[in-house]
Amino acid sequence: MPIAAALAGKRFFVTGGTGFLGTALVERVLRTVPDAEVVVLVRPGRRASAGERATREIVRNDCFDRLREELGDRFEDAASRVVAVAGDVSRDGLGLDAGGRRLLASCDVVVHSAATVSFDAPLDQAVEINMLGPSRVAAALQYARAEAERTGGVHLIAVSTAYVAGTHQGEAHEELLSANRFSLEVDWRAEVDYARRLREDFEVESRRAETLATFAKKARQELGAAGEHLLAARAERLRDEWIKDRLVDAGTARAQSLGWPDAYPFTKAMGERALIETVGVPLSIVRPSIIESSLAEPVPGWIRGFRMAEPIIISLARGLLREFPGVSEGVIDVIPVDMVVAAILAIAAGPPPEQPAVYHVASGVANPLRYGRLVELIQEWFARHPLYDDRGQPISLPEWSFPGRGRVQRQLQRASKAMDAAERLLTALPLRGRQAALSATIEERNTLVKRALDYVELYGAYTETEARYRVDRLLEVWRSLDEADRVAFCFDPSAIDWDHYVHDIHLPSIVAHARVKTTPARPTLDSRPERARRAILSPDRHLAAFDLEHTLIAANVVDSYAWLASRHLPASRRPKLVAELLAQGPSLLALDRRDRGDFLRLFYRRYDGAPVARLEEDAWELFHRQLLPRAFPAGLARVRAHRRLGHRTLLITGALDFVIAPLRPLFDDIVCARMAQAGGRFTGRLDELPPIGEARAQLLADYAGAHGLDLAESVAYADSASDLAMLEAVGFPVAVNPETRLAAIARRRGWHVEHWSKAKGGAERPLPLGPLDVRPLSPSRVRT
């Protein structure tokens, strides 16, 4: 009987429907099987129900564009045959409620394709999903059918991977692992207990005082004086990453000790063993090799997300990877996703097996693609269709030497260590603006090197494998089909013309999805910075909040103090003042980086006993002779631009009120430091300490609330990681002349960066040249 006729009117239950294979399967059923229904198990999100996720991530995916075009107004009727049920394969019983169990019991074909397909998933996660998921599906199916007292036929098809048979040299047959002479007998229940205990052990270890201290230290190195809450949040994320990294390493080590390259095929193999022990319904196991973009269905080249090969190919084409390990004569066992889907439907259309049956869907035996030939095809295609660098120059691909994995790993590890050292050095230096951008550039390059190293470590074993996965049982199914089904549901690996597939289908598809530069000409659209500036200066913005030091003016509180303290100081005493401040510079910088509030409180004590009236008068000369020449004209123009657009403008600074008094007409409001007075003199104690770090974010929230403003429609300008909370509080953060830490953060988060400079030719006077006074600000008050 033809496949479509055999499956017509049946109800499918699909796990993993939001994934690459699952989406293609749901689309193919709706398009080719009359009156079939598909129940998809979907884990609800934090803000989306199972139904909302199914609509957004499955039905609206471009995989359905062909069906949408063919049906037109009738597409919604077809889409209504997709029913979402809330559940989770990592939970016993799949987390189904009574309604979900009734739907499961009513299904004729159950396809379990849910998996964590990452080769570097944490061991406990891979165990819960890959190892226990299949048996949970089987147990839930049996329970639901018993509860519904249904005794009719059902066929469970579990999607595994060909690599459960290992990457050893030789042929692997379509047989259960218990019959595979290379497969070790492993107690899967013990592996589950081990993974769960390991998570608990790492959780305990991560909370030890000395371990927590390392996370806190690293968070401060990354964020500086960003604020205790942000530092604590970053330290907690580092703790989570530390646990994950150790679980990944543990999974890889355990897998390799048993003959698998990583935790993915290991946990899938154990999942097969657990399933065989618990299943009580007809079972077929489908083992695809490396699933890649479609050959023909729904359209040639359809792909969802990057798989294993795509990041490597794009990295090669961009010149980021110079070498990748592999055996030139080795086979890269790739199979298009639509062939896997067709095989599943052909198996589902046949009679359910009396005993568990295994099918490989792989190309390595029937139609091998040699690694060396794949590299040639990639080089040929990119020679004709090169990618281009930022200067509009074509990127030339290197000659491939097929090195061993160890050599490439060592090269990348050395490069990464050198860049780590450079990053640490630059972060310790007081760099900012374009100089600090060098650190961000090195960090970006280091990220690319580490990514390349990850590719080598994750995928190197698969490019060196000499295993061959036979497809005898699969081809028996193929030979049983009539000619019409062979055309409509092609899964014969020998039908693939690899040159055509790589050159005309796969590479054009992944390049289109990669968002890489494919033409030498400059884009006709505005650049990203231009688009960002246009959004920032949109009339829709509400508020523009500015930091002062190194954001609008290349000066700081130390500069202002030095000028004011020496304004009436005899010339003979000025060198001593300057020398003392220079000597104290490193300790002052360290204190400022550690806690901005403590720095301001301590430093402003130097004003103890200074005459109020004289400093207020001198401040105007300070502004004109020192601050204004150091101002950034583009920054001041930006403030005026916001005001012209009707945006409210706010200055938040740690500078003293009398120092920034000349700037008041530029802003709607100013929040600054205010010093206590007694008897016409300053006391050196602050009456009002301006908000520092995270307090600035709260100030913005309170200010916006008081004036009816929306922070999501507001802009903030700052230069330091200590202002991170303020930048995070708004919808449009701008890093201005950022210091090293903030430059790296801005690059990672895609924030807009401005490099503003002083006007050329302005005369600067670090120290005043005015008349002397008999009552100077005494340098004896200088303290560290």
Side-chain angles (χ1 to χ4, degrees):
M1 182 181 294
I3 292 173
L7 297 175
K10 291 188 180 295
R11 177 174 283 173
F12 288 74
F13 187 94
V14 177
T15 70
T18 59
F20 179 39
L21 176 62
T23 299
L25 175 63
V26 173
E27 188 275 341
R28 195 75 170 273
V29 170
L30 290 189
R31 183 163 50 83
T32 62
V33 181
D35 302 320
E37 294 183 3
V38 183
V39 179
V40 288
L41 183 77
V42 180
R43 184 178 65 252
R46 291 182 178 179
R47 300 179 180 177
S49 66
E52 290 169 337
R53 281 198 64 201
T55 299
R56 183 179 68 244
E57 300 179 34
I58 302 177
V59 177
R60 291 180 184 170
N61 186 272
D62 60 356
C63 182
F64 287 77
D65 286 351
R66 173 179 171 179
L67 184 60
R68 194 175 286 110
E69 182 178 344
E70 290 177 354
L71 296 182
D73 295 340
R74 294 177 292 122
F75 175 76
E76 292 303 325
D77 293 336
S80 67
R81 292 191 277 138
V82 178
V83 179
V85 60
D88 187 346
V89 297
S90 66
R91 295 176 57 189
D92 290 339
L94 305 183
L96 294 173
D97 59 17
R101 292 195 299 274
R102 284 193 296 271
L103 278 173
L104 175 57
S106 69
C107 290
D108 307 289
V109 179
V110 176
V111 181
H112 172 55
S113 67
T116 174
V117 296
S118 172
F119 292 178
D120 60 345
L123 178 60
D124 62 324
Q125 182 187 93
V127 162
E128 294 298 334
I129 297 175
N130 294 347
M131 192 181 294
L132 295 177
S135 56
R136 285 192 177 114
V137 171
L141 175 62
Q142 290 159 204
Y143 179 82
R145 288 171 62 82
E147 185 180 47
E149 299 182 348
R150 185 175 179 192
T151 58
V154 66
H155 189 175
L156 173 59
I157 301 175
V159 180
S160 183
T161 173
Y163 293 97
V164 298
T167 57
H168 57 78
Q169 186 176 18
E171 294 185 340
H173 295 269
E174 296 161 296
E175 59 190 6
L176 297 177
L177 291 176
S178 58
N180 186 328
R181 69 182 186 277
F182 294 106
S183 181
L184 298 176
E185 287 292 333
V186 181
D187 183 352
W188 62 268
R189 292 179 178 84
E191 298 301 322
V192 173
D193 292 340
Y194 166 70
R196 289 172 173 172
R197 284 198 308 272
L198 202 60
R199 159 70 73 170
E200 294 174 357
D201 291 345
F202 287 142
E203 288 282 357
V204 171
E205 178 64 25
S206 73
R207 287 174 167 83
R208 297 188 188 280
E210 56 272 23
T211 314
L212 291 172
T214 62
F215 303 144
K217 181 180 179 180
K218 186 173 181 181
R220 187 168 289 278
Q221 288 173 344
E222 291 181 10
L223 302 183
E228 292 305 317
H229 175 75
L230 287 175
L231 289 171
R234 179 58 184 150
E236 183 62 13
R237 286 195 296 273
L238 289 169
R239 188 185 71 84
D240 290 339
E241 291 169 8
W242 183 89
I243 294 172
K244 177 184 175 181
D245 290 344
R246 273 145 188 80
L247 286 168
V248 169
D249 292 343
T252 301
R254 181 57 178 151
Q256 291 177 351
S257 74
L258 296 171
W260 286 280
D262 52 69
Y264 175 65
F266 162 56
T267 53
K268 293 292 277 187
M270 294 300 99
E272 284 192 23
R273 289 187 181 277
L275 177 60
I276 293 299
E277 288 187 23
T278 58
V279 72
V281 295
L283 169 67
S284 295
I285 298 175
V286 175
R287 294 176 181 165
S289 55
I290 301 169
I291 306 177
E292 290 294 350
S293 66
S294 62
L295 179 66
E297 301 282 345
V299 292
W302 178 79
I303 194 169
R304 181 170 192 172
F306 273 11
R307 322 311 303 167
M308 170 184 153
E310 290 73 37
I312 300 172
I313 292 172
I314 293 299
S315 295
L316 166 67
R318 293 178 63 195
L320 305 177
L321 265 180
R322 311 303 298 177
E323 291 183 309
F324 199 83
V327 178
S328 177
E329 300 80 6
V331 172
I332 298 294
D333 205 317
V334 172
I335 195 76
V337 63
D338 49 338
M339 286 194 163
V340 182
V341 169
I344 290 172
L345 293 178
I347 293 165
E354 295 181 3
Q355 297 295 324
V358 176
Y359 302 86
H360 287 157
V361 188
S363 62
V365 171
N367 186 12
L369 172 61
R370 302 289 175 184
Y371 184 41
R373 180 56 184 156
L374 175 60
V375 171
E376 289 175 359
L377 291 171
I378 293 171
Q379 290 175 326
E380 290 170 4
W381 194 86
F382 281 108
R384 293 197 300 267
H385 310 281
L387 301 186
Y388 290 83
D389 60 23
D390 294 337
R391 297 169 297 174
Q393 297 300 309
I395 300 172
S396 299
L397 271 66
E399 287 296 323
W400 213 260
S401 61
F402 302 99
R405 200 173 358 152
R407 191 183 95 186
V408 180
Q409 282 178 313
R410 288 190 295 272
Q411 290 174 347
L412 293 171
Q413 286 166 351
R414 286 195 296 269
S416 182
K417 287 180 180 178
M419 290 187 184
D420 283 341
E423 275 191 71
R424 287 193 297 270
L425 174 62
L426 290 174
T427 301
L429 297 175
L431 305 177
R432 63 176 56 254
R434 298 189 187 278
Q435 292 175 321
L438 173 62
S439 175
T441 300
I442 291 177
E443 183 192 45
E444 184 176 13
R445 294 286 179 88
N446 198 8
T447 299
L448 294 174
V449 169
K450 284 182 165 62
R451 189 179 302 160
L453 181 59
D454 287 342
Y455 294 157
V456 171
E457 292 175 343
L458 288 175
Y459 305 136
Y462 295 89
T463 60
E464 294 178 334
T465 181
E466 297 182 71
R468 304 290 180 269
Y469 305 104
R470 297 198 62 84
V471 289
D472 304 285
R473 183 175 282 121
L474 179 76
L475 293 180
E476 286 180 14
V477 177
W478 171 254
R479 286 189 288 270
S480 72
L481 302 181
D482 61 25
E483 188 59 31
D485 271 350
R486 291 185 181 184
V487 173
F489 298 92
C490 179
F491 55 86
D492 178 10
S494 64
I496 306 171
D497 178 342
W498 288 118
D499 289 15
H500 168 66
Y501 175 75
V502 174
H503 273 186
D504 302 326
I505 296 175
H506 188 61
L507 291 180
S509 175
I510 67 172
V511 166
H513 284 81
R515 298 179 181 178
V516 289
K517 192 172 182 179
T518 57
T519 59
R522 291 189 175 185
T524 56
L525 298 176
D526 291 341
S527 67
R528 181 174 178 177
E530 289 169 337
R531 294 195 301 272
R533 290 190 189 99
R534 189 163 56 246
I536 288 164
L537 293 175
S538 165
D540 297 332
R541 303 292 82 81
H542 292 189
L543 168 69
F546 291 83
D547 178 44
L548 179 64
E549 296 179 2
H550 299 291
T551 301
L552 295 175
I553 296 176
N556 55 47
V557 298
V558 179
D559 297 329
S560 299
Y561 170 78
W563 200 96
L564 292 169
S566 61
R567 174 67 183 84
H568 302 282
L569 197 66
S572 61
R573 296 174 61 183
R574 290 180 184 178
K576 181 180 179 182
L577 171 66
V578 173
E580 289 178 347
L581 287 174
L582 289 175
Q584 294 156 11
S587 61
L588 292 173
L589 178 62
L591 178 59
D592 189 22
R593 286 185 168 185
R594 187 166 60 250
D595 192 303
R596 178 71 171 171
D598 286 348
F599 165 76
L600 291 176
R601 278 188 290 267
L602 188 63
F603 190 81
Y604 282 155
R605 291 178 188 171
R606 300 161 188 267
Y607 284 91
D608 182 18
V612 174
R614 188 168 65 198
L615 259 64
E616 289 178 345
E617 180 180 348
D618 289 347
W620 284 89
E621 186 178 354
L622 164 70
F623 178 75
H624 287 287
R625 293 188 178 276
Q626 188 199 50
L627 301 186
L628 194 57
R630 293 187 177 189
F632 304 138
L636 300 182
R638 182 63 59 86
V639 180
R640 296 189 183 98
H642 280 292
R643 296 201 73 176
R644 280 197 305 270
L645 290 165
H647 307 160
R648 198 166 187 90
T649 55
L650 173 66
L651 177 66
I652 308 175
T653 176
L656 290 164
D657 56 347
F658 62 86
V659 172
I660 51 88
L663 290 172
R664 285 194 175 278
L666 202 58
F667 297 91
D668 290 301
D669 290 291
I670 291 180
V671 178
C672 59
R674 302 180 190 278
M675 194 176 296
Q677 305 175 19
R681 294 183 178 274
F682 288 116
T683 66
R685 306 285 177 178
L686 290 175
D687 267 348
E688 189 175 331
L689 179 68
I692 303 298
E694 294 164 332
R696 291 192 172 190
Q698 185 60 51
L699 168 71
L700 286 181
D702 294 342
Y703 187 88
H707 293 86
L709 308 174
D710 183 359
L711 287 183
E713 293 294 339
S714 299
V715 188
Y717 298 82
D719 71 294
S720 170
S722 62
D723 295 315
L724 184 59
M726 181 174 95
L727 293 169
E728 290 181 333
V730 299
F732 298 86
V734 181
V736 179
N737 302 334
E739 47 81 39
T740 306
R741 290 190 181 98
L742 183 59
I745 293 169
R747 184 197 61 79
R748 287 195 296 267
R749 301 190 184 184
W751 288 353
H752 182 58
V753 176
E754 292 280 9
H755 294 291
W756 292 338
S757 58
K758 297 176 290 184
K760 295 181 179 179
E764 293 182 31
R765 293 178 178 174
L767 298 178
L769 299 176
L772 305 182
D773 190 283
V774 295
R775 298 197 62 185
L777 285 173
S778 173
S780 64
R781 300 193 187 100
V782 175
R783 304 183 182 92
T784 57

